[in-house]
Amino acid sequence: MAVKFKDSFHVYVYIIVVVVLIYYPDHSNGAQYLVGGEDYKWSIPLTNDFYTNWSSSHAFVVGDTLLFDYDPELHNLFQVSGREFKDCTADQAFNVYHSPASVRLMEQGVFYYVCTVLNYCSLGQKLMVSVVKSPPPPAASPSSPTPSPLVLEPFLQD
């Protein structure tokens, strides 16, 4: 069935809607991220800044899900405040999770997660994620420089 339009205004509106849908896809389902990746998952990292680097390499948006996979006999997972994150404590944790944990990012903001087994948090087993409301607009592709016109000098004749 073909779409029929009353006038050119409706054609323009239709085109704009299609372009918006193409360039700004729906993120209601969100992306899923395995925290730490396949190699490390939620465990004591090789370096203290491993999870900081992992988190900063992703752009989290509302609706995304963090998947924490870990051995519950060796690790745990608490959502904590910024202060508790810094101090590696969970005395007033917002949430306690059980493995495997699926954490849906439901609002924008900064969220903190720690493992409180022994000194694992101070060894770097802690995660801070920044969540934005919507994804950043697609980056503009760098335009190639416009070549300057070729100027042919007339041959000098004697």
Side-chain angles (χ1 to χ4, degrees), residues 22-94:
I22 290 171
Y23 285 103
Y24 298 98
D26 179 22
H27 278 266
S28 60
N29 292 334
Q32 292 188 351
Y33 297 93
L34 179 59
V35 175
E38 283 294 327
D39 294 334
Y40 297 101
K41 301 184 181 176
W42 184 240
S43 61
I44 302 169
L46 294 176
T47 62
N48 200 289
D49 60 352
F50 174 80
Y51 289 107
T52 301
N53 294 337
W54 180 86
S55 177
S56 64
S57 71
H58 297 85
F60 301 104
V61 298
V62 171
D64 286 350
T65 301
L66 299 176
L67 302 172
F68 291 84
D69 188 15
Y70 57 94
D71 182 344
E73 292 185 20
L74 300 175
H75 306 278
N76 60 25
L77 178 64
F78 291 84
Q79 181 184 2
V80 297
S81 68
R83 174 171 289 291
E84 286 185 309
F85 177 82
K86 180 181 171 220
D87 296 341
C88 283
T89 61
D91 297 330
Q92 298 177 355
F94 299 131

Side-chain angles (χ1 to χ4, degrees), residues 70-141:
Y70 57 94
D71 182 344
E73 292 185 20
L74 300 175
H75 306 278
N76 60 25
L77 178 64
F78 291 84
Q79 181 184 2
V80 297
S81 68
R83 174 171 289 291
E84 286 185 309
F85 177 82
K86 180 181 171 220
D87 296 341
C88 283
T89 61
D91 297 330
Q92 298 177 355
F94 299 131
N95 287 305
V96 179
Y97 299 96
H98 302 284
S99 184
S102 177
V103 179
R104 183 88 186 248
L105 302 172
M106 299 300 292
E107 60 186 320
Q108 65 184 13
V110 179
F111 301 93
Y112 305 92
Y113 303 91
V114 298
C115 175
T116 61
V117 173
L118 301 173
N119 66 336
Y120 294 3
C121 179
S122 62
L123 293 173
Q125 193 174 357
K126 59 184 187 174
L127 174 70
M128 175 181 72
V129 294
S130 296
V131 180
V132 296
K133 191 171 185 175
S134 59
S141 61

